[in-house]
């Protein structure tokens, strides 16, 4: 009986051994190509080069073997995921890029891994060939006058075409091929400061026969079936660089919603120049219309203000450029602040004191800005006790002050600052400021239970400061514990109700936040401030996320799950499971950041997926271990 059991056990092990020998295999990889390759060659026996014409379809297939089925990933750097492709599936066997562009050339890697041994990696370099139409630019120079009637005139024709591989150029005058030394009046040379094969044709001391049609032919020797490209330039005794004129003022001041037309005309140039418009905002507004030399901007907005330039080019000399600035009238950000008499110890408004009300707006253009003051709706003029001043626009643009000297009871009331633009067409900004015995400086506190504020990652939180005073100032929020931006990317955020709302809060937002009173819309006194602590809890981050472990039958297996980061970290629990069956659970030792589970002797019942969940108040992190039998270890039998 014992012998039968032993034989059956041996047969089971043999079957297991055969099974694992036939199933488990490390990955291998090979790259094959299809599609429109011009050429595929081995370079220095270490790198394969795949040549393709721009606009064709790139198709590379990664042939892999191995078990478990290897995972495949294509990258353009050695194993990095930083350079993923936007227009292809990087996790398929076949990499497919339709209408490949020159910028997509480079070294492509196929990486296959299945947890057995090292990943298998193969690469191939993709070289994209192209040839653009050549462009001829012409520069002329005129020497000193000789005997008052003769000018020496030299012309340079430069030919440039973008290409891969490097381009070769040839020059023709009419049907005549021009080469160095074929004509004493012609030189063909490559300037020392250029790269590649740029060729300049120099016509010295122009002769009648030099006025002709010149052809530059660019060639890449028909590689990838790319044909030669050519361009013709006609040189005459009237050939001249462009000149233009703008039929508009500079600057142009307009109201928002107005239609603006900019007119540009050519005043010289042969061949006739081509006119284009460019903007200081990188691109023309979407609704703009260009017709000939006229640029029309319908219903212009403040965002479309800026410098607009007309550029004329005919490839002779330098392009001509004329610019004008469009200024769109605007009034925004009306603010005020109250400054009590600085010679008194307290900040309250009292009878007999001096009070200054300051009003500020942002105006475009600033020189058109005008201010007026009202008291209880009636116009107010400057007097001995009520002094109205407007600051120098160069020092503090858009600011006016009303000084009330020796405040009396009859001075209490509502003062209105009105800002307007002389050009009209823009609504005025009115700012009301109430001065009374109840006008008091601000005070700032944090509500009970609102600091520290505990939230979980991904929640929406509201940090709150209570502000009192009349009038209530704007509250400015900033980070108090480090020089870091606020959630919207700015260094400060404004709040009119004292609440800072953060959507989808992250762990990086943990820290101290300062709320403080702004001088705007309140008293110009030393800022009041308070601190709110924000604590963001997040689930444990653990390693390894996944690990495949192979061990011989009868051998021990030790699995370790390590905690990298967690908040809160003081109360961490763990639970080990095998296929959702709980094996062991407990709390973390405060001195350790890891938990272990040990299989003392691996048998077939121990194969499978082990999971370690590390849990805190915010959630759980998970380590996964795939435990399988290893066939590279000898199986030893002791038979008595």
């Amino acid at each position: 009986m014992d012998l039968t059991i032993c034989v059956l056990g041996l047969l089971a092990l043999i079957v297991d051994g055969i099974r694992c020998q036939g199933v488990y295999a490390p990955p291998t990889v090979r790259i094959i190509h299809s599609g429109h390759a011009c050429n595929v060659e081995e370079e220095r026996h270490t790198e394969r080069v795949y040549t393709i014409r721009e606009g064709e379809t790139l198709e590379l297939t990664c042939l892999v073997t191995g078990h478990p089925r290897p995972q495949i990933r294509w990258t353009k750097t050695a194993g990095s995921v930083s350079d993923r492709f936007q227009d292809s599936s990087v996790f398929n066997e076949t990499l497919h890029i339709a209408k490949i562009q020159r910028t997509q050339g480079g070294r492509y890697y196929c990486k296959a891994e299945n947890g057995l041994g090292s990943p298998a990696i193969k690469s191939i370099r993709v070289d994209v060939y192209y040839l653009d139409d050549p462009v001829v630019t012409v520069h002329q120079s005129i020497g000193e006058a000789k005997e008052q009637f003769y000018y020496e005139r030299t012309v340079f024709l430069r030919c440039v075409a973008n290409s891969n591989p490097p381009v070769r150029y040839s020059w023709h005058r009419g049907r005549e091929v021009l080469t160095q030394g074929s004509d004493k009046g012609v030189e063909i040379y490559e300037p020392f400061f250029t790269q590649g094969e740029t060729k300049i044709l120099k016509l010295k001391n122009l002769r009648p026969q030099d006025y002709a049609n010149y052809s530059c032919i660019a060639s890449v020797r028909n590689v990838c079936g790319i044909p030669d490209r050519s361009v013709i330039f006609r040189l005459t005794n009237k050939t001249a660089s462009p000149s233009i004129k703008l039929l508009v003022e500079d600057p142009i001041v307009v109201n928002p919603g107005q239609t603006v037309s900019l007119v540009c005309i050519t005043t010289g140039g042969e061949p006739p120049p081509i006119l284009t418009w460019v903007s200081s905002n990188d691109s023309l507004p979407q609704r703009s219309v260009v017709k000939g030399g006229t640029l029309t901007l319908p219903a212009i907005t403040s965002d479309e203000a800026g410098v607009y330039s007309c550029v004329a080019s005919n490839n002779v000399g330098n392009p001509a450029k004329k610019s004008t600035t469009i200024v769109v009238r605007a009034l925004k950000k009306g603010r005020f602040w109250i400054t009590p008499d600085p010679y008194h110890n307290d900040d309250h408004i009292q009878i007999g004191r001096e009070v200054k009300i300051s009003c500020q707006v942002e105006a475009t253009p600033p020189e058109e800005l005008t201010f007026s003051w009202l008291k209880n709706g009636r116009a107010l003029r400057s007097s001995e006790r009520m002094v109205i001043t407007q600051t120098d626009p160069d020092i503090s643009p858009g600011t006016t002050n009303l000084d009330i000297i020796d405040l009396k009871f009859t001075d209490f009331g509502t003062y209105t600052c009105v800002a307007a633009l002389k050009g009209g067409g823009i609504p005025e900004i009115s700012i009301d400021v109430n001065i009374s015995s109840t006008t008091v400086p601000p005070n700032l506190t944090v509500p009970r239970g609102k600091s520290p504020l505990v939230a979980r990652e991904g929640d929406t939180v509201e940090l709150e400061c209570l502000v009192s005073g009349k009038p209530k100032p704007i509250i400015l929020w900033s980070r108090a514990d480090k020089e870091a931006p606020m959630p919207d990317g700015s260094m400060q955020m404004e709040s009119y109700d004292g609440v800072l709302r953060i959507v989808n809060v992250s762990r990086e937002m943990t820290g101290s936040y300062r709320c403080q009173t702004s001088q705007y819309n309140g008293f110009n006194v030393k800022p009041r401030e308070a601190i709110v602590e924000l604590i963001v809890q997040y689930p444990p981050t653990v390693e390894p996320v996944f690990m495949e472990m192979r061990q011989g039958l009868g051998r021990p297996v030790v699995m370790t799950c390590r905690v990298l980061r967690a908040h809160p970290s003081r109360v961490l629990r763990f639970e080990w499971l095998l296929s959702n069956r709980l094996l062991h659970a407990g709390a973390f030792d405060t001195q350790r950041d890891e938990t272990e589970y040990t299989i003392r002797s691996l048998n077939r019942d121990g194969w499978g997926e082990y999971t370690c969940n590390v849990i805190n108040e915010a959630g759980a992190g998970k380590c996964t271990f795939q435990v399988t039998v290893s066939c590279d270890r000898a199986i030893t039998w002791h038979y008595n």
Side-chain angles (χ1 to χ4, degrees), residues 12 97 114 142 146 148 171-172 176 199 225 298 332 338 445:
I97 302 178
N114 65 355
I142 299 177
K146 295 182 179 180
Q148 304 301 319
W171 284 99
H172 296 244
E176 176 191 2
K199 286 294 187 291
K332 55 184 178 179
I338 305 167
T445 57

Side-chain angles (χ1 to χ4, degrees), residues 523-599:
F523 274 76
N524 186 22
V525 293
K526 184 178 180 180
R528 277 59 164 157
E529 66 176 48
I531 301 295
V532 178
E533 295 288 341
L534 174 63
I535 299 172
V536 181
Q537 297 180 343
Y538 52 90
T541 302
V542 297
E543 69 173 10
V545 175
F546 177 83
M547 177 180 287
E548 187 165 359
M549 304 185 72
R550 291 167 301 283
Q551 182 60 284
L553 289 169
R555 301 291 184 91
V557 178
V558 180
M559 291 165 278
T560 304
C561 186
R562 183 173 296 105
V563 179
L564 301 178
R565 292 174 298 279
H567 194 86
S569 58
R570 64 185 182 279
V571 184
L572 288 178
R573 295 181 295 109
F574 65 83
E575 54 184 27
W576 285 92
L577 302 97
L578 171 58
S579 301
N580 296 323
R581 178 168 57 89
L582 183 63
L583 302 173
H584 181 50
F588 263 76
D589 187 329
T590 56
Q591 304 300 318
R592 299 188 65 191
D593 60 358
E594 61 185 33
T595 174
E596 288 184 355
Y597 184 77
T598 302
I599 304 171

Side-chain angles (χ1 to χ4, degrees), residues 330-337 358-364 369 371 397-399 417 419 426-431 474 476 490 492 494 496 520-521:
L331 279 176
K332 55 184 178 179
K333 287 192 177 177
R335 291 169 166 174
F336 75 89
W337 58 95
S358 299
C359 174
Q360 185 182 72
V361 297
E362 292 184 8
T364 306
L369 178 63
F371 284 108
T399 305
C417 160
I426 301 296
E428 298 175 338
I429 289 182
S430 296
I431 303 169
I474 297 171
L476 301 177
S490 65
Q492 274 190 339
E494 287 187 351
Y496 290 86
Y520 302 118
N521 297 1

Side-chain angles (χ1 to χ4, degrees), residues 142-152:
I142 299 177
E144 297 179 357
K146 295 182 179 180
E147 299 179 6
Q148 304 301 319
F149 64 88
Y150 175 75
Y151 287 85
E152 179 183 302

Side-chain angles (χ1 to χ4, degrees), residues 242-393:
S243 58
I244 55 175
K245 184 177 181 180
L246 277 184
L247 304 182
V248 293
E249 298 178 353
D250 183 34
I252 304 171
V253 182
V254 297
N255 292 328
Q258 189 174 331
T259 295
V260 182
S261 291
L262 307 180
V263 181
C264 176
I265 61 171
T266 58
T267 57
E270 177 64 34
I274 296 174
L275 298 179
T276 56
W277 284 93
V278 295
S279 165
S280 57
N281 296 329
D282 295 332
S283 61
L284 294 176
Q286 284 187 347
R287 296 177 295 111
S288 62
V289 178
V290 178
K291 188 175 182 180
T294 301
L295 169 65
T296 302
L297 305 171
I300 196 167
T301 65
S302 295
D303 293 338
E304 295 169 349
V307 178
Y308 288 80
S309 303
C310 175
V311 181
S313 176
N314 64 354
N315 290 343
V316 179
N318 295 319
K321 183 177 181 180
K322 296 284 186 180
S323 304
T324 187
T325 301
I326 298 180
V327 178
V328 180
R329 291 188 178 94
L331 279 176
K332 55 184 178 179
K333 287 192 177 177
R335 291 169 166 174
F336 75 89
W337 58 95
I338 305 167
T339 308
D341 184 353
Y343 297 105
H344 289 73
N345 293 328
D346 65 88
D347 300 323
H348 289 70
I349 289 180
Q350 296 177 1
I351 299 296
R353 297 268 294 273
E354 178 182 343
V355 175
K356 181 168 73 173
I357 307 171
S358 299
C359 174
Q360 185 182 72
V361 297
E362 292 184 8
T364 306
E367 61 272 12
E368 288 190 2
L369 178 63
T370 62
F371 284 108
S372 58
W373 284 90
L374 306 175
K375 179 188 176 184
N376 296 329
R378 294 185 177 182
L380 192 64
R381 294 182 180 179
S382 193
S383 64
E384 290 184 359
R385 276 202 326 108
M386 300 253 182
V387 182
I388 298 173
T389 57
Q390 187 166 342
T391 56
D392 186 341

